[in-house]
Amino acid sequence: MGEFSILIGGQAGDGIKQAGNAIARVFNRLGYWIFVYEDYPSLIRGGHNFAIVRASSERISSHRDGIDVLVALNQEALDRHSWRLREGSMVIFDSDMAKAEGLGIPMSGIVKRRGLPAILRNAIALGALAAALGISLEVIEDVIKATMVKRVEENLEAAREGYGIASGNHWVAKSRRVERVPGGPRPLLTGNEALALGLARGGMKLYVAYPMTPTSSLLHYIAAHEDELGAIAIHPESEIAVIGIAQGAAYAGVRSAVGTSGGGFSLMVEHISLAGQAEIPTVIVLGQRLDPATGAPTYTKQGNLFFAMFAGHGEFPRAVLAPGDADEAFNLAVEAMNLAWRFQIPVIILSDKHLSESTFSFDLEASRAAAAEPPKLWDGMGEYGRYAQTEDGISPLAFPGEGAVVKANSYEHDEFGITTEDAGLIAKAQEKRLRKARALEEYVNGKGMVSVEGDPDGKIAFLFWGSTKGAAVEVAKRIGARAIQPLCLMPLPKRELEGRLEGAERVVGIEGNSMGQFCGWLRCHGIQVDEVVLKYDGRPFAADELERKIRGLLG
């Protein structure tokens, strides 16, 4: 597998995100699959930021701890990441800001001499990186022209100077050269961008959110692309207002979605119960971060699984979906909209910071089949019963203004939505919700909601969910294990999952939390996990890190 890992680091305001994006697009144009991991503290100014761009001739969706090139815009970046260097790695650094062995470029002096803002040191670094890896200047120039909206000419001049200085340096002669590989370029999407596109493909016409990391960029993206997506974005005063607006729109027949993180989801819990009682289609993107409370909001964790599954009071059906990369984020967002409207339930898309803000190569062709599906609608005959009793518990939908009186009720109600405390009607209403839950479980079991990669007959099976996918799948392929990933966590597609596990002699659970929540959920369903590998320091699994842990575990 031909691949390169490049880390660029500096302080907030150095344009690290922009530079990482540009490096990713350079390799994308050369045919590589891309994954970009971004790490930054929750500070307005200052603090250490870095991005790891991994480019591979084979499909990837994780980063590695080891790197081939370290691009350091200050001494801190060198000091923090020198442990990642390995034999043959190269260092490119601002020689006015740091001391190291490698390709030193006086970046700060260059921007000062040219009268440019300090942030354009990243363009000088990009030019130097290209020269060091044997990438033509034309590729860099094309990427700058395509991605920069301000100071394009100044960025070009800075990149050319960095390229020129590096081209004559003796360190460049020792470096690896990048060769073009077959395929690509492919669309590059963050997890949040893929979710936005999937929600729109699923028919979303309204997105409501109060900004909260890591779903803030989902709101920003939809707001910036309202016309292309065919959806309106609203930012009200609180998360309670957020979900109330979305549910009001859904009552009127408008497909809507909301996004938040743990704290905001807490405020939405009452409305999740409302969705269960009033049977209002409600799609919630829950972006997990390191908590409880504020925790470390720009870092990641898979700590909200039980919260998502059990938030709300009472007994009512819901679905919890967990995508692991941009492709799954897109497809499960479509599925979330369809499930919510097919079953008239709350559906939670469980993302996290690592999925939401990382950048992936996106398989455009594989996404074309996903489409919005119509819900069960009232045929217009007779008196409309919003909560009509049916065999599968799903009542036909009608909307105000379409010839029916549509009564939505958070109180227990009869078939027509009229409040009741009659014992017989209360029992009938609950039995209707139970029938719907069974119909949902049956539907999920027949929907291909368990993904398997690696060796499908491997004696060792990894079980994981969400953004842990990237590292887990890669390690499974390396050691000949089967990588099993349920895409729907509630209801659990147990029948399909047990089929995928058949013949496995050793089952290893892998999760980004400290309690092994998913493994506990599996045990509730009678599925045993032999060992568990957990991580809960706010950082996602790197592929090489997980491989070391797994090999150590297996002996």
Side-chain angles (χ1 to χ4, degrees), residues 342-357:
R342 174 187 285 266
F343 292 96
Q344 303 163 36
I345 55 170
V347 178
I348 299 162
I349 303 173
L350 201 52
S351 178
D352 59 33
K353 188 270 177 187
H354 189 49
L355 170 63
S356 292
E357 297 189 353

Side-chain angles (χ1 to χ4, degrees), residues 29 59 66 111 158 202 271 299 352-353 368 540:
R29 290 183 179 225
R59 185 159 198 168
V111 294
H271 277 265
Y299 290 90
D352 59 33
K353 188 270 177 187
R368 296 192 189 283

Side-chain angles (χ1 to χ4, degrees), residues 189-202:
L189 294 178
T190 66
N192 275 346
E193 290 169 347
L195 285 171
L197 295 172
L199 291 170
R201 177 67 73 85

